Amino acid sequence: MKKIVSLLAWLLAAPALAFHCPADMKKIDDLLAQKPALSQADLAKVQALRAEGEKLHNAGEHQASVDKLAEALKLLGQ
């Protein structure tokens, strides 16, 4: 029974993560459009993390995408 509940929870969580990725990507894009006061190295890292997050999202690896996008948001102070 616990296995069924765990599987059901995972299946229900996957679509939620899928919808979370585009929202995080938009938030990063909006923050970058405001020209944040970041070093060139940090700006490049944010852009790379955002691109990697989108790639992972498109590949269906939503948890990995959320993790990468969260790193980018952290660098942006979010």
Side-chain angles (χ1 to χ4, degrees), residues 2 4 6 8-10 14-17 20 22-23 28-29 41-43 45 48 58 63-67 71 75-76:
K2 287 182 180 181
I4 293 172
S6 294
L8 184 58
W10 184 85
L17 291 174
H20 197 293
I28 292 166
D29 292 343
D42 283 345
L43 182 59
K45 187 167 184 172
N58 291 337
Q63 184 58 58
S65 174
V66 167
D67 293 344
E71 285 182 58
L75 286 170
L76 289 165

Side-chain angles (χ1 to χ4, degrees), residues 10-77:
W10 184 85
L11 290 173
L12 292 173
L17 291 174
F19 291 116
H20 197 293
C21 304
D24 285 349
M25 287 184 275
K26 182 177 179 345
K27 187 172 184 177
I28 292 166
D29 292 343
D30 291 346
L31 290 167
L32 288 173
Q34 296 174 12
K35 307 278 189 221
L38 294 176
S39 68
Q40 287 295 331
D42 283 345
L43 182 59
K45 187 167 184 172
V46 167
Q47 292 168 334
L49 288 166
R50 195 265 186 229
E52 189 173 352
E54 183 172 9
K55 181 180 172 185
L56 290 165
H57 169 74
N58 291 337
E61 297 180 37
H62 300 292
Q63 184 58 58
S65 174
V66 167
D67 293 344
K68 291 296 177 185
L69 296 171
E71 285 182 58
L73 286 167
K74 185 175 180 181
L75 286 170
L76 289 165

